[in-house]
Amino acid sequence: MTSAGSRAARTAAAVVTGLAGAAGLAAVALRDPHVPGSWGTCPVLALTGLPCPGCGGLRATSDLLGGRPLEALGSNALAVVLVLVAVAVWAVWALAAVRGRPSPVPRLVAAVTDRRAVTVAVLIGLFTLVRWVPGVGQVLGP
């Protein structure tokens, strides 16, 4: 059983986080990342000519918002997965908060110190390396 104050605080935190996410998505919807330079240039791409793990992420998010999942995957497959996971995690958190239950989503600090963080870092590294392989990486964008 939770107190009304802690339930309200958790609900407010979920709502504020949801609004911040919605504001970010609105910015991507309003300023088309498909227009070259509209969001600046990736410094890694500019310096090395190689795409970083985030290159194409804004275009992928824009394509998801526009209902074009295949184009989104072509812009940045990792970003598609991360956006969908973020929305799912937020939904689980918000639902638990509204129901007055503890969130089943692990705290960020605990997640950073556990093996999952290392696994995610390795997967992002592998994604980046595969993107750099000529003829293979183009499937993963950007």
Side-chain angles (χ1 to χ4, degrees):
M1 195 63 121
T2 61
S3 71
S6 64
R7 179 178 181 177
R10 282 197 296 253
T11 301
V15 168
V16 168
T17 302
L19 289 173
L25 292 174
V28 171
L30 292 173
R31 186 174 188 131
D32 187 3
H34 294 90
V35 175
S38 65
W39 284 88
T41 302
C42 172
V44 173
L45 185 61
L47 290 172
T48 67
L50 299 171
C52 79
C55 280
L58 288 174
R59 289 187 303 277
T61 303
S62 175
D63 290 336
L64 281 176
L65 289 171
R68 298 178 306 275
L70 294 178
E71 288 89 343
L73 286 169
S75 291
N76 186 321
L78 179 63
V80 171
V81 171
L82 293 177
V83 166
L84 296 176
V85 166
V87 169
V89 167
W90 175 82
V92 167
W93 172 37
L95 188 59
V98 168
R99 291 181 174 171
R101 298 184 179 144
S103 175
V105 179
R107 293 185 174 270
L108 181 59
V109 174
V112 169
T113 60
D114 103 12
R115 287 184 221 171
R116 287 174 283 190
V118 173
T119 301
V120 169
V122 167
L123 289 174
I124 290 171
L126 288 173
F127 172 79
T128 303
L129 291 175
V130 170
R131 284 180 111 186
W132 294 349
V133 175
V136 176
Q138 286 71 20
V139 173
L140 300 174

